[in-house]
Amino acid sequence: MARLPVLLIALFFSAAFVDQCRVEAMFWDSTYFTWGVQHASVLNNGNDVQLVLDKISGSAFQTKSEYLFGSIEMLIKLVPGNSAGTVTAYYLSSTGPKHDEIDFEFLGNVSGQPYIIHTNIFTEGVGNREQQFHPWFDPTADFHNYTIHWNPTEVVWYVDSIPIRVFRNYQSEGIGYPNQQGMGVYSSLWNADNWATMGGLVKTDWQCAPFIAQFRNFQDRACKWYGPGSIWQCAAPANWYTSPAYGQLTGAQQGQMQWVRDNYMIYDYCKDTKRFNWNMPPECSKPQY
């Protein structure tokens, strides 16, 4: 089995990334339940949220604020056991038909088979940019950190401070980029057995219900959105996340990400020539990191 390189530079950078401008708040301070309220609860003195899915309903919460650029972090412990058909979602999204969206979705599986970490990005309502990974750990045994770092230059998806994907800004070349709309943070646990596990071939086993996902220590180190006037303020060079240190992955981080992509990536839309009939999305020919 491949081993994750021990890279001192990467560890130093990761520690700085996690600690800088950290904002920790109780869930009630920054989020609220949006549906399935009877299936959701706040635990651990307000630091944890538990979402439950059964045959009656799933459950969800979202942030009170919207954001444009910064870092969004959550510790998540996924549904254990036979989680086939379930989806635990954690994503940023604006509203409306031409919305922007940056996704983490965790697709359940039958016992003994790995979860799928599903990522996607929408710009002005256009998505179809999926990349998928198997985790290199058991995401149900403990909490793991899932971070979306987003600035005017790039979007980076991190798992336990390890970058797994980058989407760079090529808007000047006609490629959409999420930089004009504030986005809220959403999390939910829901039944998606029409597609989530083996394309819908494996259905949810309701005898295994209730399904439970846990969320801890939500952190929003990000620029709050108060309308279009926030665009220039949130993109200003004085913001911590617009500094050159966050404009491109370091060489050590690129090595970490390449390790993940070489060993655990299972789908990349940029390699799916059959799906796009060889008319590949333009960003697929551009360097991303």
Side-chain angles (χ1 to χ4, degrees), residues 58-71:
S59 44
F61 64 88
Q62 73 176 72
T63 54
K64 298 175 182 178
S65 299
E66 294 181 319
Y67 310 92
L68 181 66
F69 304 138
S71 184

Side-chain angles (χ1 to χ4, degrees), residues 273-286:
T273 55
K274 182 177 180 181
R275 174 185 179 184
F276 294 103
N277 195 26
W278 290 95
N279 185 23
M280 306 307 292
E283 67 271 12
C284 292
S285 62
K286 304 292 183 183

Side-chain angles (χ1 to χ4, degrees), residues 255-273:
Q256 290 180 313
M257 185 166 67
Q258 196 61 53
W259 175 83
V260 172
R261 296 172 75 85
D262 287 346
N263 293 283
Y264 297 99
M265 189 175 203
I266 59 171
Y267 179 79
D268 182 358
Y269 75 107
C270 281
K271 296 180 179 178
D272 195 343
T273 55

Side-chain angles (χ1 to χ4, degrees), residues 121-198:
I121 183 167
F122 290 72
T123 57
E124 297 186 351
V126 178
N128 299 321
R129 299 182 174 108
E130 302 92 345
Q131 292 184 356
Q132 296 180 335
F133 308 82
H134 282 152
W136 51 96
F137 51 87
D138 181 356
T140 72
D142 203 351
F143 288 90
H144 291 268
N145 182 292
Y146 302 92
T147 296
I148 297 171
H149 184 71
W150 164 44
N151 63 27
T153 303
E154 62 182 9
V155 178
V156 186
W157 291 252
Y158 289 87
V159 177
D160 289 336
S161 300
I162 297 172
I164 65 170
R165 178 179 183 179
V166 176
F167 185 85
R168 293 191 69 80
N169 184 353
Y170 288 103
Q171 192 172 41
S172 62
E173 300 182 41
I175 299 170
Y177 189 79
N179 59 7
Q180 300 293 310
Q181 302 182 57
M183 295 196 278
V185 182
Y186 298 80
S187 286
S188 58
L189 175 59
W190 54 292
N191 176 42
D193 66 2
N194 61 322
W195 67 272
T197 306
M198 295 185 65

Side-chain angles (χ1 to χ4, degrees), residues 18-86:
V18 170
D19 290 338
Q20 183 176 353
C21 303
R22 170 170 287 188
V23 176
E24 293 189 13
M26 289 193 290
F27 269 90
W28 286 130
D29 294 336
S30 53
T31 66
Y32 63 97
F33 296 126
T34 51
W35 53 271
V37 176
Q38 72 280 9
H39 283 61
S41 55
V42 177
L43 308 171
N44 190 23
N45 296 318
N47 289 318
D48 294 10
V49 163
Q50 177 174 282
L51 297 183
V52 176
L53 166 68
D54 61 20
K55 205 166 185 178
I56 297 173
S57 176
S59 44
F61 64 88
Q62 73 176 72
T63 54
K64 298 175 182 178
S65 299
E66 294 181 319
Y67 310 92
L68 181 66
F69 304 138
S71 184
I72 301 297
E73 301 187 37
M74 189 91 74
L75 297 178
I76 304 175
K77 186 178 181 181
L78 297 178
V79 175
N82 184 357
S83 58
T86 70

Side-chain angles (χ1 to χ4, degrees), residues 218-230:
F218 169 67
Q219 298 172 32
D220 55 347
R221 301 178 297 121
C223 185
K224 289 188 177 180
W225 171 266
Y226 297 104
S230 298

